[in-house]
Amino acid sequence: MIESLPERIHCLGAGGAGMLPLAIYLSEVGHIVSAEDDAFGEHAETLLRSCGVLVQPFDEGCEALVYSSAIPPSHPAYRKMREAEKPLLRRGECLALIAQGKRLVAISGSHGKTTTCAMLIDILDTLGFDFDYLLGALYDKKAPSRFAGSHWLVAEIDESDGTIDSFSPEITLILNVDHDHHARYKTEGEYFAAFESLARRTSGTVIFDGSLKERLCPDVDSAVDWVGVGVDSVLHAKPAGSGWTWLGLEGQKALPTVLLNRSGEMNFYDAACALLAANAMGSEILEGQIFEMNSVKRRQRCWFNSPETQVFEDYAHHPREIQSLLECVENVPGWQTVVVFQAHRYSRTRELKEELANSLSLCEELVLLDVYAASEDPQEGGMGTDLYEACRKRNQRVCYISDKVGPIGTLFARAQQPKTRIIFLGAGVGDQLARQLSDLLAEQDKRWGQFYRSLAEVSYFSLAIKADEPLANKTTMRVGGTAERYLEPASLSQLLAALKACKKAGIEVLPLGRGSNLVVADSGVSGLVIRLSHPYWSRFELLGEGRARLGAGMRIKALCGQAAKEGLQGFEFLEGIPGSLGGVLRMNAGAMGGWVFDVVESIRFATLDGEVLEAKKGDLDFGYRYCRELEDAIALDAVFVSKEQKGVPDQIRRTIDTYQNKRKESQPREPSAGCIFKNPDGDSAGRIIDELGLKGAVVGGAEISQVHGNFIINRGGATSEDVVELVKFARKVAKERKGVELHPEVLLFGSKWEDALR
């Protein structure tokens, strides 16, 4: 238990984003915790009970009351505790007592605290760092707090009620300072002083917005390490696709470039602060490390994601926060964005009305709702209609919908227009409205609706699901029709979510890979086609002792090149095999007398049910052109073992070049799917076709190659049916003249050879 707190604690307003994690943490520490709230949010009561918190009304036997700042002194429980002269603690005051004796990492600022705190938590978890934490919100699929008995504590520090003055951190992050909470801080100077004082009480490192450097006036002679982001540490970002970014820091405080699942300047800055904090705590960040941030409720959350409609929601309610978030939203050609905004508190709306109108002027279309009161009485100049008038001066495409009418009907009708993205902003009931709208949209599409709903939980602004996507240009044969739905997941969580959603809906899943060794049917593909083409799937991780973990999306050519660079010998024979590692593993592809499983130690794969499994080579059933475990699964990565871990890169490169030249001399350059038939036992399909004189045979735009008889090439304009007819022809002649049964090696994607060859 916390020594300065009694055993029995009652948490009042425990459904709030800050109070709920605190109640759970106190219970985990060992206190007997009870909790109540007038209106527990989604799953809040269930979560509290599952963590040992007693959900019940106030009991006079409790020894301390911890309450939300939104609770008025007139509340019966508050009055009884005050009369009994028992401890009354606001959330921040209780958190300060917890932090005593801890190495506190304080996340502070006017906005962005929750996002940055969640990023830091996920980064430290990825690095295996031992720490306690208290998030000021709820994760979608992770505990909002954790007591691990560590000396380190990561927590958000709130300035709104003045409890910021109770903390003396070891590491402080000051993300920004924009005058807010005007009822407490009458002037901008008073507001800034709260953060400046926090920085002065910090004993180790202060990480802050570089634009504040002159005002904070860091003491260069003190033992405190002052790091101004954008000044002492300059971030650089490079898009990696689907909302992922390569992010690094240069300058006085440099950090390696890492890959993370966020985009937009606001997210880059928050992530940079989190990475610097993790580094200041003593963790080691490696070049190319991958950090997948978990989804947090009410923070850049996607509720529905289809090829035609997207629904997002975010808590942003301060002008600068709104502007930063809108800048994160990618402007996709052909898509229209509708922003639905609900201002928070009448007092804030009155004071920031013009600034809010300026930030919302960025909106293509704007829908304003009534102000979310948050226990305040209406104030002249701070009403929803007042904000509407201010916005109308800057944006003609704005409308106002009062609570009496409700916006769902209007928004549902608007969502019927193609390529529409609806974003709910504000600290009010945007999450509830987003859920209602998404439920209606999901019910509208009986086949795919729930899939769009499920995948939304792991989607970002840039994750696109495509309908009727052409597949010919995604294959080496360059033939075939379209995919009913097409997805390039950018993380394991997205892949598993898609697989589980398809399983539940009875929708077939077809992994595509790099599109070699297959022919797409002209009729196209029913179901969901998945392709692991994002950089997330192309990792090359050295494990030591000649071993490396390789992502299934890695191109074989890139794999061989990287192995040569690292001096790993024995993979050279793979050079020239078209496609990615996942497809090569599935087919146990080989060349130059070797097979891929000759160099595999283990593989990790996902079943089509969404279960992740790992298997050693000795436990796998594989042979010529097959691996049974991967026939109905998707390879994720594999551990390769080099026969020589200290090879000379130049020598390895020369061997690769030799194999490459042999391939160029013996294989056609035109588009093809690779070897079309499996080799019969003890023979060669190419030799048989050559002896039969079938080279040069043509059907439509397809031809049996003059260079290699086991290749069918696309001379231009070929169809899948042309290829199938040539396969039938070669099989028929081989059977009639040689008595040999030729079996296709390539996959008939979207159909089955048994049906096509009838």
Side-chain angles (χ1 to χ4, degrees):
M1 293 193 301
I2 307 300
E3 291 184 4
S4 52
L5 290 172
E7 183 179 19
R8 294 193 60 188
I9 300 173
H10 187 70
C11 293
L12 192 56
M19 285 292 295
L20 190 148
L22 181 65
I24 293 174
Y25 187 90
L26 289 170
S27 178
E28 289 180 336
V29 172
H31 293 275
I32 299 173
V33 181
S34 55
E36 69 172 303
D37 196 289
D38 289 342
F40 279 111
E42 180 188 17
H43 308 311
E45 186 172 343
T46 301
L47 178 58
L48 286 167
R49 291 185 189 278
S50 69
C51 295
V53 176
L54 305 172
V55 179
Q56 62 186 39
F58 170 73
D59 179 349
E60 293 187 15
C62 80
E63 299 169 303
L65 181 71
V66 178
Y67 63 97
S68 163
S69 294
I71 301 297
S74 59
H75 192 283
Y78 186 99
R79 289 204 320 267
K80 289 179 180 179
M81 290 295 288
R82 184 178 56 192
E83 291 168 0
E85 297 184 347
K86 292 182 178 180
L88 287 161
L89 298 168
R90 290 174 292 176
R91 172 194 175 273
E93 292 167 333
C94 181
L95 180 56
L97 292 177
I98 292 172
Q100 287 180 358
K102 293 274 192 182
R103 303 179 71 179
L104 175 64
V105 182
I107 317 296
S108 72
S110 304
H111 36 82
K113 293 186 289 293
T114 296
T115 298
T116 306
C117 187
M119 285 181 172
L120 177 55
I121 291 166
D122 289 335
I123 288 169
L124 293 172
D125 276 347
T126 300
L127 296 172
F129 199 87
D130 182 40
F131 68 108
D132 291 5
Y133 70 80
L134 276 155
L135 185 67
L138 301 181
Y139 280 108
D140 274 328
K141 296 182 179 179
K142 188 172 181 175
S145 63
R146 179 172 67 213
F147 171 69
S150 171
H151 294 301
W152 284 103
L153 173 65
V154 174
E156 295 178 48
I157 305 303
D158 185 20
E159 81 283 4
S160 65
D161 58 2
T163 54
I164 188 174
D165 296 333
S166 304
F167 296 90
S168 298
E170 179 169 332
I171 299 172
T172 293
L173 279 68
I174 302 177
L175 303 173
N176 39 62
V177 182
D178 295 313
H179 190 198
D180 203 348
H181 309 295
H182 299 78
R184 171 167 288 276
Y185 304 100
K186 301 300 182 184
T187 67
E188 194 272 342
E190 289 179 11
Y191 186 70
F192 187 87
F195 293 97
E196 184 178 23
S197 179
L198 179 67
R200 299 298 173 190
R201 294 193 303 274
T202 301
S203 61
T205 302
V206 178
I207 299 165
F208 61 97
D209 180 351
S211 66
L212 302 174
K213 190 163 189 174
E214 290 187 6
R215 295 191 64 188
L216 281 174
C217 300
D219 185 353
V220 294
D221 296 325
S222 74
V224 175
D225 190 13
W226 294 76
V227 183
V229 180
V231 179
D232 305 308
S233 190
V234 180
L235 62 88
H236 57 88
K238 180 181 178 182
S242 299
W244 284 71
T245 304
W246 291 104
L247 183 69
L249 291 164
E250 299 174 340
Q252 181 181 334
K253 289 292 181 181
L255 288 178
T257 299
V258 300
L259 181 64
L260 51 88
N261 59 332
R262 290 292 182 268
S263 61
E265 292 297 328
M266 174 184 70
N267 285 318
F268 299 159
Y269 171 76
D270 291 344
C273 290
L275 288 165
L276 286 166
N279 182 252
M281 293 171 72
S283 62
E284 182 182 6
I285 298 169
L286 303 177
E287 184 74 27
Q289 196 148 18
I290 297 175
F291 294 106
E292 183 176 1
M293 310 303 180
N294 285 281
S295 176
V296 178
K297 293 182 186 297
R298 309 218 64 182
R299 300 304 189 279
Q300 301 173 48
R301 185 180 186 184
C302 183
W303 285 89
F304 191 82
N305 189 3
S306 81
E308 296 295 327
T309 311
Q310 293 180 328
V311 179
F312 289 91
E313 177 252 338
D314 191 87
Y315 194 73
H317 55 280
H318 187 279
R320 180 175 168 185
E321 193 177 14
I322 293 168
Q323 181 175 341
S324 297
L325 184 124
L326 292 176
E327 290 171 351
C328 288
V329 180
E330 184 180 355
N331 184 19
V332 181
W335 280 75
Q336 302 175 73
T337 299
V338 180
V339 173
V340 183
F341 178 68
Q342 183 177 34
H344 182 244
R345 293 182 178 272
Y346 299 110
S347 58
R348 176 185 276 119
T349 305
R350 185 189 64 233
E351 296 295 335
L352 298 176
K353 182 170 52 190
E354 296 302 321
E355 290 91 335
L356 285 169
N358 283 333
S359 64
L360 292 168
S361 67
L362 297 171
C363 300
E364 188 177 352
E365 293 181 44
L366 176 62
V367 176
L368 292 174
L369 307 180
D370 277 330
V371 174
Y372 183 69
S375 74
E376 280 191 345
D377 292 327
Q379 297 182 20
E380 185 177 350
M383 308 296 289
T385 50
D386 297 315
L387 180 59
Y388 169 73
E389 292 301 328
C391 288
R392 282 282 293 176
K393 296 175 183 177
R394 299 163 174 83
N395 186 350
Q396 292 302 304
R397 298 195 68 179
V398 56
C399 69
Y400 167 73
I401 302 177
S402 73
D403 289 344
K404 295 179 181 179
V405 177
I408 291 299
T410 300
L411 294 173
F412 182 68
R414 180 64 181 83
Q416 304 309 305
Q417 298 182 32
K419 306 297 183 187
T420 297
R421 174 187 284 157
I422 297 176
I423 304 176
F424 292 87
L425 296 182
V429 296
D431 57 335
Q432 299 172 35
L433 297 175
R435 184 188 304 111
Q436 292 174 34
L437 177 59
S438 299
D439 287 343
L440 290 173
L441 292 169
E443 291 169 7
Q444 184 177 240
D445 188 334
K446 300 302 181 183
R447 175 164 166 79
W448 289 96
Q450 289 306 318
F451 172 84
Y452 299 146
R453 203 69 168 76
S454 298
L455 194 63
E457 296 178 6
V458 289
S459 294
Y460 322 121
F461 286 126
S462 301
L463 180 66
I465 303 166
K466 298 179 180 179
D468 302 319
E469 177 72 3
L471 295 178
N473 62 352
K474 295 177 174 61
T475 71
T476 56
M477 190 73 206
R478 299 289 189 264
V479 301
T482 62
E484 183 182 2
R485 294 294 183 272
Y486 176 83
L487 175 69
E488 295 183 357
S491 68
L492 179 59
S493 62
Q494 289 180 0
L495 172 62
L496 298 182
L499 293 175
K500 291 174 182 177
C502 284
K503 174 69 175 178
K504 187 175 182 179
I507 296 171
E508 185 178 6
V509 175
L510 297 97
L512 179 60
R514 292 289 180 180
S516 61
N517 211 54
L518 58 80
V519 176
V520 178
D522 290 328
S523 58
V525 178
S526 174
L528 177 69
V529 173
I530 288 180
R531 193 182 195 199
L532 306 185
S533 58
H534 190 273
Y536 176 92
W537 304 104
S538 299
R539 69 186 72 184
F540 189 107
E541 180 186 357
L542 293 175
L543 303 177
E545 299 181 348
R547 299 161 64 248
R549 184 178 294 278
L550 313 176
M554 194 171 199
R555 291 179 182 271
I556 296 301
K557 186 177 184 66
L559 184 160
C560 292
Q562 187 66 30
K565 180 180 177 181
E566 301 294 344
L568 300 178
Q569 192 173 350
F571 308 154
E572 298 89 326
F573 71 94
L574 294 169
E575 204 287 330
I577 296 178
S580 60
L581 178 58
V584 169
L585 290 168
R586 187 181 189 278
M587 296 295 295
N588 187 21
M592 306 300 170
W595 308 99
V596 69
F597 274 97
D598 293 344
V599 292
V600 167
E601 178 183 278
S602 64
I603 64 171
R604 196 167 61 109
F605 57 95
T607 69
L608 298 187
D609 293 343
E611 181 183 6
V612 176
L613 301 174
E614 188 163 5
K616 298 287 187 181
K617 180 168 73 172
D619 298 326
L620 296 169
D621 179 7
F622 62 89
Y624 176 62
R625 294 296 186 263
Y626 74 86
C627 175
R628 297 289 181 233
E629 287 76 9
L630 295 180
E631 289 179 355
D632 293 305
I634 299 176
L636 303 176
D637 52 42
V639 175
F640 275 34
V641 182
S642 170
K643 67 179 183 181
E644 176 58 62
Q645 56 182 301
K646 294 183 179 179
V648 179
D650 288 346
Q651 293 178 356
I652 298 173
R653 186 70 253 176
R654 282 195 292 272
T655 302
I656 290 174
D657 291 342
T658 299
Y659 287 152
Q660 188 178 66
N661 291 333
K662 286 183 179 180
R663 281 184 174 275
K664 288 180 179 179
E665 293 170 1
S666 62
Q667 295 181 2
R669 300 290 186 87
E670 296 86 352
S672 75
C675 290
I676 203 79
F677 295 110
K678 295 178 182 178
N679 288 325
D681 289 341
D683 208 339
S684 162
R687 186 195 65 78
I688 293 171
I689 292 171
D690 192 6
E691 285 187 356
L692 291 170
L694 300 182
K695 284 183 175 180
V698 173
V699 174
E703 175 187 341
I704 295 179
S705 171
Q706 300 274 9
V707 177
H708 193 306
N710 202 17
F711 281 70
I712 293 178
I713 62 172
N714 184 347
R715 301 189 307 165
T719 66
S720 174
E721 188 58 32
D722 295 341
V723 176
V724 171
E725 288 303 314
L726 265 183
V727 168
K728 287 181 178 180
F729 172 68
R731 279 170 50 86
K732 182 174 182 292
V733 174
K735 182 69 173 177
E736 291 175 350
R737 297 186 190 175
K738 294 264 187 189
V740 175
E741 192 81 46
L742 292 178
H743 297 284
E745 176 178 315
V746 299
L747 302 175
L748 189 56
F749 201 69
S751 185
K752 295 181 179 179
W753 280 114
E754 304 92 88
D755 298 330
L757 296 177
R758 287 174 183 168

